[in-house]
């Protein structure tokens, strides 16, 4: 449930300007009823100026009147008049300069240990391009002599949860298509 702006200041205003019960106010501002009672007694929130939720279009005067008449009724936070801005998409992910040389190692590890992962998922997981993945796979990467497969979680390129989710999704896709899940390539003894 969404919370009103400045809950303590809203509670102060509702205590001073309405005859709502402490439970009704506490439910609306998502505080404990004892905390609302402490605000009313002047023990908490001293010096806080009340924040008018009616003037700021968080609740209507009619809704307050309805709740004042019925002690079991609860205030409902009004929908914002202005649409909430949509969050920006993830876009490209920044990898610090110190970890950029570790990315081909992570790609090599994923290609060896999780061959069921498509290039698109590897790219999203590690924040790399299909071209780089293909170069590591074909051993045509400019630094292929120095690439040693290392776990991307240990390298800090992705989280274990993200890796597990990607592997699970890839395995479910292969099962749905009726394709056998490829086994990881055994590690080279060094």
């Amino acid at each position: 449930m969404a919370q009103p702006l400045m809950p303590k200041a809203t509670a102060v205003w509702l205590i001073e300007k309405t005859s709502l019960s402490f439970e009704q106010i506490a439910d609306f501002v998502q505080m404990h009823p004892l905390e609302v009672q402490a605000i009313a007694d002047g023990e908490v929130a001293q010096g806080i100026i009340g924040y008018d939720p009616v003037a700021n279009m968080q609740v209507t005067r009619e809704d307050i009147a309805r709740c004042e008449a019925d002690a079991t009724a609860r205030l409902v936070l009004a929908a914002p008049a202005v649409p909430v801005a949509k969050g920006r998409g993830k876009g490209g992910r920044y990898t610090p300069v110190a970890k950029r040389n570790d990315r081909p190692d992570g790609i090599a590890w994923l290609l060896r240990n999780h061959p069921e992962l498509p290039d698109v998922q590897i790219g999203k997981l590690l924040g790399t391009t299909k071209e780089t993945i293909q170069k590591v796979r074909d051993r045509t990467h400019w630094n292929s002599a120095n690439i040693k497969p290392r776990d991307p979680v240990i390298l800090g390129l992705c989280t274990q949860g993200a890796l597990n989710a990607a592997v699970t999704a890839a395995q479910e896709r292969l099962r749905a298509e009726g394709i056998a899940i490829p086994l990881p390539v055994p590690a080279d003894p060094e």
Side-chain angles (χ1 to χ4, degrees):
M1 181 178 157
Q3 186 177 21
L5 294 174
M6 302 185 348
K8 279 192 180 181
T10 302
V12 168
W13 188 90
L14 290 171
I15 290 168
E16 293 175 355
K17 307 290 184 189
T18 66
S19 62
L20 294 170
S21 69
F22 294 149
E23 290 80 20
Q24 288 173 316
I25 296 171
D27 186 56
F28 180 66
V29 296
Q30 297 178 3
M31 296 168 71
H32 194 276
L34 292 176
E35 190 174 3
V36 174
Q37 184 175 357
I39 291 171
D41 293 341
E43 297 171 4
V44 178
Q46 294 174 347
I48 292 182
I49 299 170
Y51 184 74
D52 186 356
V54 176
N56 294 298
M57 295 183 283
Q58 295 182 47
V59 71
T60 62
R61 178 60 67 188
E62 293 78 24
D63 198 24
I64 291 175
R66 177 184 61 83
C67 291
E68 286 176 331
D70 181 12
T72 61
R74 297 290 182 232
L75 288 173
V76 179
L77 192 63
V82 178
V84 178
K86 187 176 180 183
R88 199 185 113 170
K90 278 199 167 192
R93 209 170 48 177
Y94 177 75
T95 303
V97 175
K99 292 189 179 188
R100 288 185 192 160
N101 289 334
D102 294 338
R103 196 180 280 157
D105 294 349
I107 294 169
W109 189 88
L110 287 174
L111 291 173
R112 185 182 77 192
N113 293 304
H114 296 289
E116 70 272 13
L117 285 175
D119 290 356
V120 173
Q121 277 187 312
I122 294 174
K124 285 182 182 177
L125 197 60
L126 301 182
T128 188
T129 63
K130 290 181 192 177
E131 181 183 357
T132 304
I133 297 167
Q134 194 58 43
K135 285 181 179 180
V136 170
R137 179 180 282 129
D138 298 341
R139 301 191 191 285
T140 58
H141 189 271
W142 67 271
N143 196 21
S144 56
N146 298 321
I147 294 176
K148 294 191 178 4
R150 294 188 293 167
D151 190 344
V153 175
I154 294 172
L155 295 174
L157 297 172
C158 66
T159 64
Q160 186 66 51
L163 177 60
N164 291 344
V167 169
T168 303
Q171 289 175 347
E172 287 175 3
R173 181 185 53 79
L174 290 176
R175 277 191 204 103
E177 294 175 0
I179 301 172
I181 298 172
L183 296 173
V185 177
D188 297 329
E190 293 180 34

